[in-house]
Amino acid sequence: MRPVIIAGNWKLNGTIPETEVLIKGLLDGDSNNEAATVVVCPPYPSLSYAHQMVTGTHIALGAQDMSQHDKGAYTGEVSAEMLLTVGVRYVILGHSERRQHHAETDQLVNAKAKAALAAGLIPIICVGETLTEREAERTEEVVGGQLDGALAGLMTDQLRLSVLAYEPVWAIGTGKTATPEMAQAVHRFLRNRLAQNDPAAAEVVPILYGGSVKPGNAHELLSQPDIDGALVGGASLKAEDFVGIINAV
Ligand code: PEP
């Protein structure tokens, strides 16, 4: 059985007072669904405060990125160890916005994944094609290449601890969602690709779908056999909507 994970990527949203309101909304709302692991990923400055709020609750903490380095002259960077000290358990890596705005490559995502796993964080590794790539029927080539690149050289036990997220770039923040059938087809492709290297990993690694997931479409997406949860952007910023998605599991 793979765990079902509903993770909220707050992106560049969430001052400490806003974090307090949002997490309080999740704790007061009906967000404790035993069928799902709930993860919130606020910006770095809010992590410590968020940790105090979620300690002892059903909510786990994630970060939106991290450095591949442990320490040193890397201005602006945050290490895996630093994240661990503020209670972070998950870290989103290779989000398309990092790839697009910060020129992150598969090689860099791979280095970050190795650093995260070595430190004891669970990476949520994102892959996804642009609209141009989909229209050119290159989806499998693109996401397959991203998957291979991000996971290159991971040890078997590390691979089996990882989480993947399929996030078609054209569906992120656009209100356009992949149909459940489209998403399922790519999730199945990714699972088969994992199985080529490690059949056991293909059985246990959760693959989340991300891209305009809302309470109204979550159930159908999450009912697909290879969709093991959701990575949620916009709808994770409203407690009511995020709770609606959690309860769609
Ligand atoms: C995301 O940023 O990971 C995401 C899926 O965003 P949204 O839900 O807003 O499309």
Side-chain angles (χ1 to χ4, degrees):
M1 273 293 278
R2 293 182 290 274
V4 177
I5 300 172
I6 306 295
N9 174 14
W10 294 9
K11 312 192 187 192
L12 185 52
N13 301 287
T15 59
I16 288 177
E18 287 164 347
T19 296
E20 180 169 14
V21 171
L22 188 42
I23 293 184
K24 192 166 183 311
L26 297 179
L27 294 173
D28 290 347
D30 189 16
S31 65
N32 192 2
N33 178 350
E34 284 182 5
T37 299
V38 178
V39 182
V40 294
C41 306
Y44 294 136
S46 291
L47 286 171
S48 184
Y49 190 75
H51 177 50
Q52 290 172 38
M53 290 192 78
V54 302
T55 299
T57 75
H58 61 284
I59 299 177
L61 201 56
Q64 299 172 21
D65 184 35
M66 55 165 263
S67 172
Q68 72 276 31
H69 300 294
D70 292 341
K71 58 168 67 177
Y74 302 104
T75 303
E77 295 282 45
V78 169
S79 73
E81 190 189 343
M82 291 170 188
L83 295 178
L84 284 166
T85 60
V86 290
V88 167
R89 287 176 47 208
Y90 294 81
V91 60
I92 300 170
L93 297 178
H95 191 281
S96 62
E97 288 155 11
R98 300 286 319 167
R99 294 177 188 264
Q100 189 186 343
H101 304 304
H102 301 271
E104 292 206 0
T105 60
D106 294 331
Q107 252 180 334
L108 181 59
V109 177
N110 180 241
K112 290 184 177 194
K114 285 177 175 159
L117 285 157
L121 289 172
I122 300 173
I124 301 176
I125 298 167
C126 304
V127 301
E129 82 287 3
T130 63
L131 188 58
T132 315
E133 289 162 345
R134 174 162 281 268
E135 285 174 350
E137 299 185 2
R138 293 185 53 224
T139 299
E140 292 190 353
E141 173 200 330
V142 170
V143 300
Q146 289 172 337
L147 187 74
D148 295 348
L151 303 182
L154 290 192
M155 289 180 289
T156 313
D157 56 335
Q158 293 183 319
L159 179 59
R160 293 178 193 173
L161 286 172
S162 303
V163 176
L164 299 177
Y166 167 56
E167 298 207 304
V169 178
W170 49 270
I172 295 180
T174 58
K176 291 183 192 156
T177 318
T179 63
E181 295 73 25
M182 280 160 86
Q184 165 58 26
V186 180
H187 281 235
R188 163 74 19 197
F189 168 79
L190 291 169
R191 201 173 298 290
N192 287 340
R193 188 88 161 205
L194 279 176
Q196 283 169 14
N197 287 329
D198 180 1
E203 291 301 318
V204 297
V205 170
I207 308 180
L208 317 185
Y209 170 78
S212 299
V213 177
K214 307 176 205 66
N217 60 21
H219 178 72
E220 229 190 325
L221 285 160
L222 295 168
S223 303
Q224 301 300 312
D226 290 293
I227 300 185
D228 306 310
L231 181 53
V232 186
S236 70
L237 296 173
K238 275 196 193 158
E240 194 187 337
D241 287 354
F242 197 52
V243 168
I245 294 168
I246 294 163
N247 286 325
V249 174

